[in-house]
Amino acid sequence: MSKREGIMEGGRMRRRTFGASIVGGAATLPSLLELQARALGDPTVTIDEVTPSVTPAGTLPPAEERTVELFERNTYSVVNIFDVTLRPQVNMTGSVEVPEGNGSGFIWDEEGHIVTNYHVIGSSLARNPPLGQVVARVTLLGADGYQKNFEAKLVGADKTKDLAVLDVDAPVELLRPVNLGQSSKLRVGQRCLAIGNPFGFDHTLTVGVVSGLNRDIYSQTGVVIGGGIQTDAAINPGNSGGVLLDSRGNLIGINTAIFTRTGTSAGVGFAIPVDTVAKLVPQLIAYGKVMRPGLNVQLAPEPVAKQLNVRSGALVLTVPDRSAAAKAGLIATRRGLAGNILLGDIIVGVGDTAIKNAQELAKALDSFQVGDQISLKVQRNDQIQDLPLTLEESTR
């Protein structure tokens, strides 16, 4: 037998002996000593000969390097949020169960404002806390890699859009705001990145594409949010409130919901578009609430409208006195002298946008602000009329 064959044969013998000890259970002390003795007994066997070569890591491909750079630059803008009324619990298997209310958020500005989803701190908000009260604990990541905890006070919240703003008293060096992008310019197929804290695993990155636009998001707050972004980037419980970024690292949405039958990601996630966020967050900071524009009229529910043979448009039932709608001349539904029902105005358009029902009217008004002047197209006695109207703050 040649020297090399002896080494190879010895190697196989050693592997068989070690493998047998593993299959039979944990490696025993005698088997380890036997391995050592055999190696020392053959001076031709060296450590180098039994050590596999290691391939140098080298440089990353440009696409991967770009992804790494985007994550490293933006991960400091993402925070972990814990509802003060909830705590993670360890189950019987030893794994940590992350309750709803433990989620993500991101740094809005250097003043310490943190943006997240309403439902992330929904348990605290259900108690109707006053503005300025501590409702959550926020964990910020420092440049040294350590996480720092801060109490977070309520600045404002809007259940309709599933948004909330918190405030932390943190050093400015820990406050790295995310860069805002534009969701109105998105195209299906664009690459996107999600950063959040799924299942309590902080600062987790997933990558995907924009799968769809203008989706209706069925939020955990029980409301439907229009104009949502659909993505196949994995979004799981705990990701809510985290960032969805474009390939330049700009914020394009807030991860808020998933479509799933198992409770985990099925490749269909949804984000609130950043254009909506950029419009509402300053109002939450300034007023503690969203100044939502509206007509402040009562509209007929769809079943009632159909009973009155209104197949398209939003039928006006009542118009409050001295309201902007009353000043614009909007007519309510009423009864005639004979007790018959006289239909009021049917809103069929806002500017150039056609309106088929009350939901579409609300969605159309959502793109305006309080004080904006709009043109309502109404059907009155089988004729279409244009009514100029100044939007006021909604009280409904």
Side-chain angles (χ1 to χ4, degrees), residues 328 349 351 375-378 384-388:
S375 176
L376 281 183
K377 291 186 184 305
V378 300
I384 302 297
Q385 298 187 21
D386 288 320
L387 298 180

Side-chain angles (χ1 to χ4, degrees), residues 245-258:
L245 307 172
D246 62 16
S247 56
R248 295 181 178 85
N250 297 321
L251 182 72
I252 56 174
I254 300 180
N255 301 319
T256 188
I258 57 175

Side-chain angles (χ1 to χ4, degrees), residues 199-220:
F199 302 110
F201 295 105
D202 61 277
H203 298 87
T204 297
L205 170 71
T206 56
V207 180
V209 298
V210 174
S211 306
L213 298 169
N214 297 317
R215 304 299 197 204
D216 285 337
I217 303 174
Y218 295 86
S219 169
Q220 294 185 40

